[in-house]
Amino acid sequence: MMRNRRGFSFIELMTVLAVIGILAALAVPRIRDTKARAIAAAAIGDFSVVRVASFNYFADKNGYPADQPEGVIPPELVSYLPTQFTFTKANYTLDFESFSGSGLGTGPTVLAVTVRSTDPRIVNNIARSITPGSVGLVVGSAYTYIITGL
């Protein structure tokens, strides 16, 4: 007489767990890369927001805001930026740069926004995803997006 068997054998359970483990090992790097791309897209969006705010400020005041330390919004731009906009994000920090020609106040002003991140994938994704024709520099863990002045 045959016994009625219920459930799975140990070998069957281990096989299923091995397959799930292999699939997870394949998926985790993709998930990390997708997350880095999403963060890079947010940073590129922040570049555009700061660029438009800077141009609007220039149109109103015929000048550009002064340089500020990393993570600090230039006070002149606050009214031109969206409410609750910040230069300090969870995965990166923005730095507004304003350079005058020779340092003596003569020559063109160069405006730039630098994004710094401890994750090099974010910086590399920004460099790869930035609009063709835009000028930017990658130095270490930072990407500097040139807004105007070259």
Side-chain angles (χ1 to χ4, degrees):
M1 209 191 293
M2 252 178 108
R3 277 185 3 188
N4 193 5
R5 185 176 149 206
R6 299 177 86 167
F8 298 101
S9 71
F10 183 72
I11 301 288
E12 291 169 330
L13 289 174
M14 293 308 291
T15 304
V16 169
L17 288 175
V19 169
I20 290 172
I22 290 170
L23 292 175
L26 292 172
V28 168
R30 290 273 189 199
I31 291 169
R32 284 188 194 139
D33 188 47
T34 302
K35 184 178 176 185
R37 277 194 237 152
I39 294 167
I44 291 169
D46 288 346
F47 288 157
S48 295
V49 168
V50 173
R51 180 177 51 87
V52 169
S54 298
F55 288 152
N56 287 337
Y57 179 83
F58 181 82
D60 288 347
K61 308 291 185 184
N62 199 26
Y64 291 110
D67 188 19
Q68 293 296 318
E70 184 176 330
V72 177
I73 297 175
E76 301 95 338
L77 281 185
V78 170
S79 62
Y80 295 92
L81 293 169
T83 309
Q84 304 289 326
F85 189 84
T86 179
F87 274 27
T88 304
K89 309 288 181 159
N91 297 299
Y92 61 91
T93 304
L94 297 174
D95 185 11
F96 185 82
E97 311 281 354
S98 178
F99 308 102
S100 293
S102 64
L104 301 173
T106 60
T109 299
V110 176
L111 290 183
V113 178
T114 300
V115 62
R116 287 188 209 300
S117 177
T118 56
D119 188 351
R121 288 177 298 196
I122 294 171
V123 175
N124 291 334
N125 278 314
I126 291 170
R128 277 184 289 198
S129 303
I130 202 74
T131 306
S134 298
V135 179
L137 309 164
V138 176
V139 178
S141 64
Y143 180 85
T144 301
Y145 175 73
I146 308 296
I147 296 174
T148 186
L150 294 178

